[in-house]
Amino acid sequence: MIKVGITGQTGFIGTHLYNFLGLKKDDVIRIPFRDDFFSDPQKLEEFVKQCDVIVHLAALNRHNEPQVIYDTNIDLVKKLISAIDNTGSKPHILFSSSTQEERDNVFGRSKRAGREMFTEWALNNGTLFTAMIIPNVFGPFGNPYYNSVVATFSHQLTHNKEPKIEVDAQLKLIYVGDLVRIIYDVISKSSTGKEFRVPHTNEIKVTEILEKLLEFKSLYLEN
């Protein structure tokens, strides 16, 4: 049995992964995590001591002050590493990074810096580490204005608001159900590597997403 803990357990991806591991897999024991563990070193250390694998999903995506995003995400990495070092634990760390690393934004920079910190730490300690570079994730229970443009457009269209497209970017997407299966596969095979690019399942422009959602609204909400 593999004991798996998920930081950010109650978040969008964390909730889907936690439920998937509990409902679908009988070779996994889930170690519960609460966000307030990061503010209590003793509870964080108790958590990491129990884990064979830690999937680090906890992160701040958006904030009115960009520096808060960077500082928060780096601080979470530092606290997790400190808790592992203090307990002498050797868990396999899976770090959720993002294709935002390739863009010049503060969230992407915080993810790249966090990945580099974990990579160096794993090399120095001889532990398994997998850096997952994840494309844009969409699916049920995504939060509008936070998790994905799909969630934002869906919320706006079902609340009689008019979506606005600021940048008609080409997005690489993955459905959250597909993502958690890939994460489980990495866990079960103890896959390691400083960079693992999670394959996207679709590529589409923002305008095309909106067109599809407008079509769904016409077919299912207005008839």
Side-chain angles (χ1 to χ4, degrees):
M1 300 291 284
I2 307 172
K3 297 178 180 179
V4 179
I6 306 166
T7 72
Q9 177 185 303
T10 60
F12 173 45
I13 298 173
T15 297
H16 282 274
L17 179 59
Y18 188 82
N19 291 340
F20 176 80
L21 295 179
L23 296 173
K24 302 291 186 181
K25 303 301 172 186
D26 57 7
D27 58 344
V28 170
I29 296 175
R30 298 172 299 173
I31 306 301
F33 179 86
R34 295 202 316 266
D35 291 343
D36 62 10
F37 287 2
F38 276 116
S39 58
D40 188 325
Q42 182 177 351
K43 288 183 179 178
L44 187 58
E45 290 176 10
E46 290 173 356
F47 166 76
V48 302
K49 282 192 298 185
Q50 300 177 70
C51 297
D52 300 315
V53 176
I54 298 175
V55 185
H56 183 48
L57 299 176
L60 183 64
N61 292 2
R62 288 180 172 82
H63 194 277
N64 290 333
E65 297 293 334
Q67 191 63 37
V68 173
I69 297 174
Y70 187 90
D71 292 344
T72 298
N73 292 341
I74 295 302
D75 189 52
L76 295 178
V77 172
K78 289 180 178 178
K79 287 181 176 179
L80 187 55
I81 289 176
S82 177
I84 296 170
D85 284 342
N86 289 343
T87 57
S89 303
K90 296 282 186 178
H92 177 189
I93 301 293
L94 280 72
F95 177 60
S96 166
S97 191
S98 166
T99 52
Q100 293 292 322
E101 279 195 22
E102 301 164 0
R103 302 181 181 181
D104 188 24
N105 61 53
V106 69
F107 176 72
R109 291 196 296 273
S110 74
K111 282 298 186 178
R112 182 170 56 251
R115 174 167 63 88
E116 291 169 350
M117 290 169 62
F118 270 125
T119 298
E120 182 179 1
W121 170 83
L123 287 172
N124 291 337
N125 290 274
T127 58
L128 290 176
F129 172 62
T130 306
M132 300 179 295
I133 312 298
I134 301 174
N136 295 277
V137 186
F138 73 99
F141 310 113
N143 291 320
Y145 310 105
Y146 194 79
N147 289 128
S148 78
V149 66
V150 178
T152 300
F153 284 170
S154 297
H155 173 81
Q156 291 171 330
L157 291 174
T158 55
H159 288 75
N160 296 316
K161 296 180 180 179
E162 183 178 352
K164 294 182 180 179
I165 297 174
E166 295 181 5
V167 179
D168 189 19
Q170 186 86 3
L171 299 182
K172 294 179 179 179
L173 299 173
I174 186 169
Y175 179 65
V176 67
D178 295 326
L179 174 60
V180 298
R181 288 180 177 85
I182 290 173
I183 294 175
Y184 168 73
D185 191 52
V186 173
I187 291 171
S188 62
K189 294 180 179 178
S190 296
S191 301
T192 184
K194 63 180 182 180
E195 183 177 309
F196 167 60
R197 289 193 170 269
V198 175
H200 60 278
T201 53
N202 200 355
E203 190 166 352
I204 189 171
K205 298 191 76 170
V206 176
T207 49
E208 294 175 304
I209 293 174
L210 182 55
E211 288 171 2
K212 286 181 179 294
L213 292 174
L214 284 167
E215 181 181 356
F216 293 156
K217 179 181 181 182
S218 176
L219 289 171
Y220 301 111
L221 294 181
E222 296 177 346
N223 293 327

